[in-house]
Amino acid sequence: EPTMYGEILSPNYPQVYPNEIEKSWDIEVPEGYGIHLYFTHLDMELSENCAYDSVQIMSGDVEEGKLCGQRTSKSPNSPVVEEFQVPYNKLRVIFKSDFSNEERFTGFAAYYVAVDVNECTDFADAPCSHFCNNFMGGYFCSCPPEYFLHDDMRNCGVNCSGDVFTTMVGEIASPNYPNPYPENSRCEYQILLEEGFQVVVTMRREDFDVEPADSEGNCPDSLIFVAGDQQFGPYCGSGFPGPLSIETQSNAVGIIFQTDLTGQKKGWKLRYHGDPIPCPKEVTANSIWEPERAKYVYKDVVKISCVDGFEVVEGKVGSTFFYSTCQSNGKWSHSKLKCQPVDCGAPESIPNGKVENPESTLFGSVTHYTCEEKYYAMEDERGGEYRCSANGTWVNEVLGTELPKCVPVCGVPSELLKGVQR
Amino acid sequence: IFGGITAKIEHFPWQVFFSNPRAGGALIDEYWVLTAAHVVEGNQNPVMYVGSSSVQTSKLLKAQMLTAERVFIHPGWQVLDNTDIRTNFDNDIALVQLKEPVKMGPSVSPICLPGSSSEYSPSVGTLGIISGWGKSELRDIVIKLRAAKLPVAPLAKCQEWKGKDSRVDVSSFVFTHNMICAGGEKGVDSCQGDAGGAFAVQDPNEEDPKYYAAGLMSFGFQCGTYGIYTRVQNYVDWIRKTMQDNGSPSKD
């Protein structure tokens, strides 16, 4: 059981210690305490490096000291002839004698007491991220105002998450900006604008100072923007490394600022504003956009008219135009509708004639009618050619949409009567 | 046909056979047959055939039968109770509208109507061709189509004709400019059963042979002499108007 103090005496002390003996003592004081070990008597055979007889003080595998010979107190007010102070709560004392003790050495008498360790100062690594408070047998960490102590009871952080910015224009900065930002923190903010507007973030180079990336390019502290499926960053370093203006294409943007334990810098400050989400100006064949603009944004409405001979077909209904609206997601409504050539369909057949099967029945295609020669002829010989017109009908330049007529050829017998007269 | 020869329907593809009374007609359109008024007088539903040289029953079954939709007799035709005593054949022309269109081909095709110019008023000596299944020198009726070529004669030849039969008083008959007199040579003539058929004359304005109906076989006094034909040119306006006003049945 750990004790707060104790005595250690060499074998047979204060009589002559025996030959060829080895004995050890494990000293343990409560945790949070160090050990003050002091010798009040030391009378042992002297040898080089205490090779014959010795008392050895070990702290783990580390030898704190090795004693032999005779010692006397250097101070008339103190009986202590040798002492050790360790910040650990365990020590081992090992006594060894060789085969001869001819001069009748009496060994040693030593005492130990538990002494408080100042954890805040006695160790090379600081145990607390901010304030360290030592007490008898231990220590505790504490944090500055507005910080909180993490569950590890060593590190401080700040409660910096949760802010949601909904105004169309705003400014956001890292905690404490322009003073050093808190370590070991994760700040999550959100910019949430109304649908149809995208968040545009602007950052001046000089408004950004975050612990720079390590040799592998990883940012120990980082700023990240998340917009839908897109991520901008992580950014770190002195001076903003990203574009000075980031068009996020989203009305909702998450800002994540993550810091580690070390290297706190000035931080960052950004501005944002909402821009109506633009819709791409799509160049679609055979169509005309009204009104014509260099840029279209959310809620803009355009009338898309098909050029002559083209139409949009929705279901079974054809039309020469349609309206499209720039939507909140940056896409045009009815974007699947396209101007396609008017289809006149298969030309109608006519009695006593035939129509060639045209290669195409689309706008501009040409087909020809013929009559069953030689017994029928076209009533109007200019009525043979029909062209698929813009309104979806086959049109002849003379007859219009009227179909050609094949009329019987009169007065021509298939065989001539000969030799009637004698 | 007197003084003629056997012909094929391909020579006269416009030739229409009227079965009862036995007579002829000329196809002028998909829906219209031209014939003599006295052929359809009292017969509003004539049965007609086209496309067959022979009018044997078995052959007619394979021919195109034409069904009348309506008969239009010229308004100038004199209607008599007793047709046996008719002496006035003026305006002997009628149109038969068909229920269904006739399908044209090598053995069926229409004859042209004459133009309005004087070129289509055949002068004396102009040759025309006639055809029919009417009486011949040897038989009262014939089975195979017969045809003949004969010239236009002065109308006076018909008026002045004097036959051997004293019962025929030519002077009692009406002669008008609606009539063409033809024949009189070598016994070539039309005869009973040929009436309504076309007196076809070659179009003077066409290089290739093309025929128009200059006349319709109307009447005569003795087969093998002269015959009187209705002058179709005088009725072209009436024909066209009748056709236009009535259209084709399928369009009504």
Side-chain angles (χ1 to χ4, degrees), chain B residues 138-154:
Chain B
L138 300 176
R139 295 176 178 274
D140 282 353
I141 56 170
V142 298
I143 296 300
K144 290 185 178 174
L145 183 67
R146 294 184 72 82
K149 189 177 276 188
L150 68 171
V152 174

Side-chain angles (χ1 to χ4, degrees), chain A residues 12 99 253:
Chain A
N12 294 337
F99 58 89
V253 172

Side-chain angles (χ1 to χ4, degrees), chain A residues 190-387:
Chain A
Q190 198 177 16
I191 303 171
L192 187 60
L193 306 183
E194 70 174 280
E195 281 201 352
F197 289 85
Q198 66 160 332
V199 176
V200 179
V201 175
T202 54
M203 177 95 76
R204 295 191 301 178
R205 298 253 181 249
E206 61 271 26
D207 289 345
F208 188 87
D209 183 21
V210 171
E211 186 181 2
D214 59 20
S215 57
E216 293 177 355
N218 298 317
C219 290
D221 299 342
S222 65
L223 178 64
I224 295 172
F225 303 108
V226 178
D229 296 334
Q230 294 186 97
Q231 177 177 306
F232 303 91
Y235 300 116
C236 60
S238 180
F240 187 59
L244 297 183
S245 177
I246 299 173
E247 294 192 1
T248 61
Q249 304 292 329
S250 173
N251 67 318
V253 172
I255 300 171
I256 302 166
F257 182 49
Q258 179 95 43
T259 65
D260 69 352
L261 284 170
T262 59
Q264 286 75 45
K265 300 281 187 175
K266 185 172 75 170
W268 48 268
K269 180 178 73 176
L270 62 81
R271 291 179 180 82
Y272 76 87
H273 68 273
D275 244 7
I277 286 192
C279 281
K281 187 180 179 186
E282 292 168 359
V283 179
T284 50
N286 308 307
S287 62
I288 300 163
W289 285 39
E290 293 176 285
E292 171 86 26
R293 284 187 191 149
K295 184 182 180 185
Y296 297 96
V297 296
Y298 174 54
K299 287 186 179 173
D300 276 352
V301 177
V302 289
K303 181 183 181 184
I304 300 172
S305 307
C306 298
V307 300
D308 252 7
F310 289 79
E311 64 178 353
V312 282
V313 179
E314 196 170 10
K316 290 182 176 176
V317 181
S319 174
T320 56
F321 66 88
F322 64 99
Y323 289 97
S324 187
T325 305
C326 180
Q327 302 176 124
S328 60
N329 59 358
K331 292 177 179 172
W332 290 102
S333 65
H334 303 123
S335 57
K336 287 183 180 173
L337 295 180
K338 303 283 180 222
C339 289
Q340 54 197 45
V342 167
D343 191 342
C344 287
E348 278 186 59
S349 59
I350 55 168
N352 305 313
K354 60 182 178 182
V355 60
E356 70 179 4
N357 198 18
E359 282 184 14
S360 163
T361 58
L362 302 181
F363 172 65
S365 301
V366 173
T367 189
H368 293 90
Y369 283 91
T370 52
C371 293
E372 292 172 14
E373 291 182 340
K374 56 196 175 179
Y375 307 105
Y376 292 91
M378 207 158 279
E379 192 170 47
D380 189 324
E381 60 187 15
R382 298 168 299 176
E385 184 176 287
Y386 282 71
R387 191 174 290 271

Side-chain angles (χ1 to χ4, degrees), chain B residues 132-187:
Chain B
W133 290 274
K135 189 175 179 181
S136 71
E137 299 93 327
L138 300 176
R139 295 176 178 274
D140 282 353
I141 56 170
V142 298
I143 296 300
K144 290 185 178 174
L145 183 67
R146 294 184 72 82
K149 189 177 276 188
L150 68 171
V152 174
L155 191 60
K157 288 283 187 186
C158 287
Q159 283 179 280
E160 293 163 4
W161 181 82
K162 289 181 179 172
K164 294 174 183 175
D165 190 346
S166 58
R167 290 174 298 178
V168 179
D169 179 11
V170 177
S171 63
S172 65
F173 280 77
V174 174
F175 289 88
T176 71
H177 287 292
N178 295 326
M179 300 171 186
I180 294 172
C181 177
E185 289 185 356
K186 300 170 186 175

Side-chain angles (χ1 to χ4, degrees), chain A residues 351-353 372 375-376 405-422, chain B residues 5 8 10-14 30 102-106 109-112 147-149 186 209-211:
Chain A
N352 305 313
E372 292 172 14
Y375 307 105
Y376 292 91
K405 280 182 190 160
C406 290
V407 294
V409 173
C410 71
V412 183
S414 55
E415 290 182 32
L416 286 174
L417 183 68
K418 293 175 182 174
V420 175
Q421 294 296 91
R422 295 173 186 166
Chain B
I5 58 168
K8 293 197 290 184
E10 285 79 4
H11 297 128
F12 300 89
W14 50 78
E30 287 174 295
V102 180
K103 183 64 184 171
M104 306 303 172
S109 70
I111 190 167
C112 306
K149 189 177 276 188
K186 300 170 186 175
K210 185 172 182 178
Y211 291 89

Side-chain angles (χ1 to χ4, degrees), chain B residues 33-198:
Chain B
V33 171
L34 195 59
T35 188
H38 76 267
V39 169
V40 289
E41 184 179 29
N43 182 9
Q44 291 297 307
N45 292 298
V47 176
M48 299 153 282
Y49 295 90
V50 288
S52 178
S53 302
S54 169
V55 291
Q56 204 171 6
T57 306
S58 60
K59 301 285 188 199
L60 288 180
L61 290 173
K62 297 175 186 174
Q64 274 193 81
M65 187 175 82
L66 311 182
T67 310
E69 170 76 14
R70 199 171 162 189
V71 170
F72 298 86
I73 294 174
H74 191 273
W77 175 251
Q78 184 183 50
V79 178
L80 297 175
D81 293 334
N82 183 4
T83 56
D84 292 340
I85 57 167
R86 177 178 293 282
T87 57
N88 183 0
F89 285 86
D90 193 21
N91 306 311
D92 190 8
I93 188 167
L95 279 166
V96 180
Q97 187 182 25
L98 306 177
K99 278 187 190 296
E100 303 293 335
V102 180
K103 183 64 184 171
M104 306 303 172
S107 58
V108 183
S109 70
I111 190 167
C112 306
L113 290 173
S116 56
S117 68
S118 60
E119 293 170 294
Y120 293 95
S121 180
S123 54
V124 172
T126 301
L127 289 173
I129 52 174
I130 56 173
S131 56
W133 290 274
K135 189 175 179 181
S136 71
E137 299 93 327
L138 300 176
R139 295 176 178 274
D140 282 353
I141 56 170
V142 298
I143 296 300
K144 290 185 178 174
L145 183 67
R146 294 184 72 82
K149 189 177 276 188
L150 68 171
V152 174
L155 191 60
K157 288 283 187 186
C158 287
Q159 283 179 280
E160 293 163 4
W161 181 82
K162 289 181 179 172
K164 294 174 183 175
D165 190 346
S166 58
R167 290 174 298 178
V168 179
D169 179 11
V170 177
S171 63
S172 65
F173 280 77
V174 174
F175 289 88
T176 71
H177 287 292
N178 295 326
M179 300 171 186
I180 294 172
C181 177
E185 289 185 356
K186 300 170 186 175
V188 178
D189 195 5
S190 54
C191 197
Q192 280 75 33
D194 293 324

